[in-house]
Amino acid sequence: MNEKKRMNKAKMVPVPSKAIIPERDIDKAPILECSHLGIDFGGLRAVDDFNLTIGRTEIAGLIGPNGAGKTTVFNLLTKVYQPTRGTILLDGMDTAGKTTAQINHMGIARTFQNIRLFSNMTVMENILVGLHKEMTYNALTGILRLPAFFRSERIARERAMELLSIFGMEDTADAVAGSLPYGAQRRLEILRALATNPSLLLLDEPAAGMNPSETAELMENIVKIRDTFNIAVLLIEHDMNLVMGICEGIVVLNFGQVIAKGTAEEIQSNPTVIEAYLGKQQ
Amino acid sequence: MKTKKLTLNKNTRMNFVTYGVVIVAYVILQTMVTTGSISSSLKGMLVPICAYVVMAVSLNLTVGVLGELSLGHAGFMSVGAFTGVTAALALQGVVASGPLRLLIGMAVGAVFAAIAGVLIGIPVLRLKGDYLAIVTLAFGEIIKSLINNLYVGVDGSGLHFSILTNKMAMDEIGRIIINGPMGITTIEKLSTFTAGFLLVMVTLIIVFNLVNSRSGRAFMAIRDNRIAAESVGLNVVKYRLMAFVTSAALAGAAGTLFAMNYSTIIANKFDFNTSILILVFVVLGGLGNMLGSIIAAAALTILPEMLRSLQDYRMLIYAIILILVMLVTNNAQLKSLFSRIIPHKKEAADNE
């Protein structure tokens, strides 16, 4: 019973929300606040003095040349690396000393630059792993096949189908994840992250390897996900059409340091950013 | 909604085929035993086959489902064998029913093997890949040496333990159960083919139901991609330990079953070669494929006996057959040939 209640509370039918989302709600109650975040690898300062605030329903972009430290920032936020300096507040709570799994329970879900699916498992099973913590029966209940097992599995499968319907992937539910085309794998990874019911979604180069029409569709979908689930999105991307098109706030990183922050227009005309990408004008 | 049902059916169908094969094999062999149309050498192998099947299926949980190479599975079998038999022998005067003593023995064996699994699992599961394999190998050897130097006796006041030499001071009705390197020499043969069959069925139910639940999906997720598994909130240490300990407990029960089939058992029986033999069953049967493990365990236990007439060439032929089977079952052309002959196998071949 308790289980069912939990499921209903978190029920996520993908219908576009009518609520008007404030363009920049950073200052009210940010979901994420990093201050003076930094990590050293030996003598190398991979990221230094990184400050970032993301609003509750903001789509934010993290850009920068190759090797700037963007993915390292994601790894710091999800505690794949423990930061050397600085603090990360998620929904006002300090994440110091937490593990990657605990961070996910606190509300950060992510995708990876090089896709990391459970490639020998089916699409459905991948989503079900994402829904793992929503299912509360223990291993013994599973072994003994008690009624709680069937109830929980049925609810989870229905919800997985709902999630798959966001990208129209219901037909591929039984396919082995590793056999999916590249674009579908990227979409599945996003869905798996969404299944964990996050309040902040980190997307690491979601448009990598996609053609312009797929990218356009992805842009729509990212906005749709934000509107449907009412969550914040932070994305790393090299496709400037995508970043400038949907990101409300953009942070530019170079050599592990923030060189610019602002809206798309501000970033596009910022001389430091242009220099970082194109080099100094002679 | 239609596709959802299909997934369930596909998984359960394969599981029911496995249950069916085991039940049919049991019925046929049991009929042969009662009618006396079975050779005495094969009859003597029925219980060891059951024990090896349980060993193979349980190791497949670690190697095939969890994706960790364990080279010390015989160690858990050994722990289960010696603790289980000790319990069964100590209860000789207390519990009258033989099958019940066997059941208690297997339960005790499983519990102690599980404890050994936790103790070894906590440090070992922090390691990955080769390092894990090396430590489990060492564990198997340590258990062997430990039991070779262990003396256990029972008398009116309860159990007595001694290590290295027999220093046990027991009263006149006391008897030695484990006698160091001599092992246990006073086992009463309680294991029966039916008991073995039941243990195989229980093992299959536990493993299949565990694998097809949220815990099993967690095992496979960790196997496929540990970093991604952590990123979706899985407690990797917990689930690795759960799979490892379940596997160890089942091996412990199998150890008791195996030991209670003989009148004497020594620790050297459960050495590195036994661990490797079980690993061969798993690899030959296919990682994650429980039916394969069962068939491989049965076939490779019977094969050396059937080749006995070849005398000195026995192990040579055995090795050649093993290599040939591995080559043949991994050959893409032969696989497609099989799939054309047996239509329902096509699906499986396409997935690989």
Side-chain angles (χ1 to χ4, degrees):
Chain A
M1 217 61 252
N2 183 29
E3 204 169 348
K4 200 158 190 178
K5 226 171 14 192
R6 267 178 57 114
M7 285 288 196
N8 281 343
K9 190 199 78 190
K11 190 140 176 134
M12 306 180 291
V13 187
V15 281
S17 88
K18 295 276 191 313
I20 299 151
I21 287 151
E23 230 169 63
R24 295 277 285 166
D25 54 0
I26 285 183
D27 307 322
K28 285 172 206 162
I31 190 72
L32 182 82
E33 279 179 285
C34 306
S35 43
H36 310 293
L37 198 60
I39 186 169
D40 300 344
F41 295 123
L44 176 77
R45 297 214 144 178
V47 173
D48 195 31
D49 202 23
F50 180 81
N51 298 300
L52 174 69
T53 311
I54 298 178
R56 236 153 241 288
T57 54
E58 185 184 354
I59 297 180
L62 180 58
I63 62 171
N66 288 328
K70 304 183 294 295
T71 299
T72 306
V73 168
F74 270 24
N75 285 337
L76 288 174
L77 293 178
T78 55
K79 300 284 170 164
V80 172
Y81 303 141
Q82 292 292 339
T84 317
R85 294 172 296 277
T87 53
I88 304 165
L89 295 183
L90 182 66
D91 205 1
M93 280 182 290
D94 196 355
T95 66
K98 296 275 193 270
T99 63
T100 306
Q102 286 168 330
I103 288 292
N104 179 262
H105 287 256
M106 289 177 75
I108 299 184
R110 72 174 290 186
T111 67
F112 296 87
Q113 188 177 357
N114 45 343
I115 302 172
R116 287 179 181 273
L117 285 172
F118 308 127
S119 45
N120 295 315
M121 300 169 77
T122 65
V123 169
M124 171 59 83
E125 284 170 333
N126 269 268
I127 306 272
L128 288 177
V129 173
L131 289 166
H132 185 87
K133 63 175 179 241
E134 305 295 336
M135 288 181 265
T136 45
Y137 69 87
N138 61 28
L140 199 62
T141 309
I143 290 172
L144 298 175
R145 289 287 191 259
L146 298 179
F149 165 83
F150 292 103
R151 195 169 56 233
S152 192
E153 287 279 315
R154 182 175 46 81
I155 296 169
R157 275 169 198 275
E158 279 167 14
R159 194 154 147 213
M161 282 315 236
E162 272 173 22
L163 282 165
L164 285 172
S165 72
I166 294 176
F167 288 146
M169 289 173 70
E170 298 101 315
D171 295 345
T172 60
D174 285 339
V176 176
S179 71
L180 290 180
Y182 184 81
Q185 292 198 13
R186 284 230 171 264
R187 287 192 283 273
L188 176 58
E189 217 189 10
I190 295 174
L191 292 180
R192 185 184 66 190
L194 281 173
T196 67
N197 203 8
S199 46
L200 171 63
L201 180 63
L202 307 182
L203 302 175
D204 200 342
E205 298 199 23
M210 287 189 178
N211 64 35
S213 75
E214 282 175 323
T215 306
E217 201 189 320
L218 178 73
M219 286 167 70
E220 272 174 37
N221 279 323
I222 292 173
V223 176
K224 182 173 146 193
I225 286 166
R226 191 270 306 270
D227 293 353
T228 311
F229 297 97
N230 252 327
I231 57 174
V233 178
L234 173 63
L235 55 89
I236 295 175
E237 189 47 68
H238 285 296
D239 187 319
M240 286 305 144
N241 286 330
L242 187 150
V243 175
M244 300 303 165
I246 60 171
C247 291
E248 290 139 350
I250 297 170
V251 175
V252 189
L253 208 60
N254 198 17
F255 297 115
Q257 303 218 316
V258 175
I259 55 169
K261 263 185 193 179
T263 61
E265 296 80 38
E266 287 163 10
I267 296 297
Q268 275 167 325
S269 55
N270 187 315
T272 332
V273 176
I274 295 164
E275 192 190 309
Y277 269 91
L278 302 174
K280 221 179 170 92
Q281 218 163 15
Q282 295 299 314
Chain B
M1 292 303 127
K2 209 174 143 198
T3 44
K4 181 190 76 184
K5 277 216 173 102
L6 211 77
T7 329
L8 264 174
N9 285 345
K10 216 154 120 193
N11 271 335
T12 35
R13 199 172 64 208
M14 189 60 204
N15 295 355
F16 280 119
V17 167
T18 311
Y19 290 135
V21 167
V22 172
I23 292 169
V24 167
Y26 168 72
V27 170
I28 292 172
L29 287 168
Q30 190 61 31
T31 318
M32 284 169 77
V33 170
T34 41
T35 56
S37 55
I38 192 169
S39 72
S40 63
S41 71
L42 185 61
K43 195 179 164 189
M45 280 191 302
L46 291 177
V47 173
I49 287 172
C50 290
Y52 282 132
V53 164
V54 174
M55 291 301 291
V57 171
S58 61
L59 185 63
N60 210 338
L61 184 63
T62 307
V63 179
V65 180
L66 186 68
E68 294 295 355
L69 183 59
S70 167
L71 296 178
H73 210 51
F76 297 117
M77 193 184 190
S78 184
V79 170
F82 283 89
T83 54
V85 171
T86 303
L89 290 182
L91 291 171
Q92 232 162 9
V94 188
V95 180
S97 155
L100 186 60
R101 274 209 303 281
L102 177 66
L103 183 69
I104 294 171
M106 288 200 287
V108 169
V111 168
F112 275 90
I115 292 169
V118 173
L119 290 179
I120 185 77
I122 289 169
V124 157
L125 292 177
R126 293 180 181 278
L127 305 171
K128 290 173 197 169
D130 299 347
Y131 299 101
L132 190 141
I134 291 164
V135 177
T136 52
L137 189 158
F139 161 75
E141 293 302 305
I142 290 168
I143 288 293
K144 194 177 81 182
S145 303
L146 188 70
I147 295 175
N148 263 331
N149 290 295
L150 181 70
Y151 296 83
V152 176
V154 66
D155 66 4
S157 58
L159 285 173
H160 292 263
F161 299 94
S162 173
I163 202 115
L164 291 176
T165 54
N166 186 358
K167 296 185 283 272
M168 291 181 294
M170 290 191 290
D171 58 28
E172 60 280 6
I173 61 153
R175 55 201 161 87
I176 290 174
I177 294 176
I178 302 177
N179 193 10
M182 311 269 285
I184 307 179
T185 52
T186 55
I187 304 176
E188 43 169 349
K189 205 179 158 195
L190 289 175
S191 292
T192 58
F193 181 42
T194 305
F197 161 73
L198 291 175
L199 182 63
V200 170
M201 288 304 285
V202 168
T203 302
L204 285 177
I205 290 169
I206 290 176
V207 170
F208 281 148
N209 286 358
L210 192 62
V211 169
N212 293 314
S213 75
R214 71 196 274 267
S215 314
R217 285 193 295 266
F219 302 161
M220 290 184 280
I222 292 163
R223 172 197 66 195
D224 279 4
N225 202 311
R226 191 192 159 114
I227 292 171
E230 281 178 340
S231 86
V232 294
L234 293 185
N235 184 340
V236 170
V237 174
K238 175 185 159 189
Y239 284 104
R240 289 176 93 198
L241 196 62
M242 186 191 284
F244 197 69
V245 170
T246 308
S247 168
L250 292 170
T256 308
L257 178 81
F258 184 83
M260 298 287 272
N261 186 49
Y262 300 100
S263 53
T264 61
I265 194 87
I266 54 166
N268 286 350
K269 178 77 190 91
F270 308 104
D271 60 358
F272 179 60
N273 289 334
T274 310
S275 291
I276 293 296
L277 181 68
I278 298 156
L279 190 62
V280 169
F281 298 157
V282 172
V283 173
L284 188 69
L287 296 180
N289 182 347
M290 299 304 163
L291 184 58
S293 288
I294 295 169
I295 294 170
L300 290 186
T301 313
I302 296 169
L303 190 62
E305 291 301 316
M306 287 175 62
L307 297 175
R308 201 166 275 279
S309 56
L310 297 167
Q311 291 169 0
D312 289 351
Y313 298 103
R314 188 165 71 116
M315 290 324 281
L316 184 68
I317 305 284
Y318 177 83
I320 290 170
I321 291 176
L322 200 61
I323 292 167
L324 284 179
V325 170
M326 294 225 185
L327 283 177
V328 165
T329 50
N330 274 314
N331 188 308
Q333 279 145 349
L334 276 164
K335 264 185 194 165
S336 68
L337 183 73
F338 279 131
S339 68
R340 251 174 281 154
I341 299 166
I342 317 164
H344 74 265
K345 278 233 169 145
K346 189 164 167 42
E347 216 173 9
D350 288 346
N351 284 342
E352 279 168 30

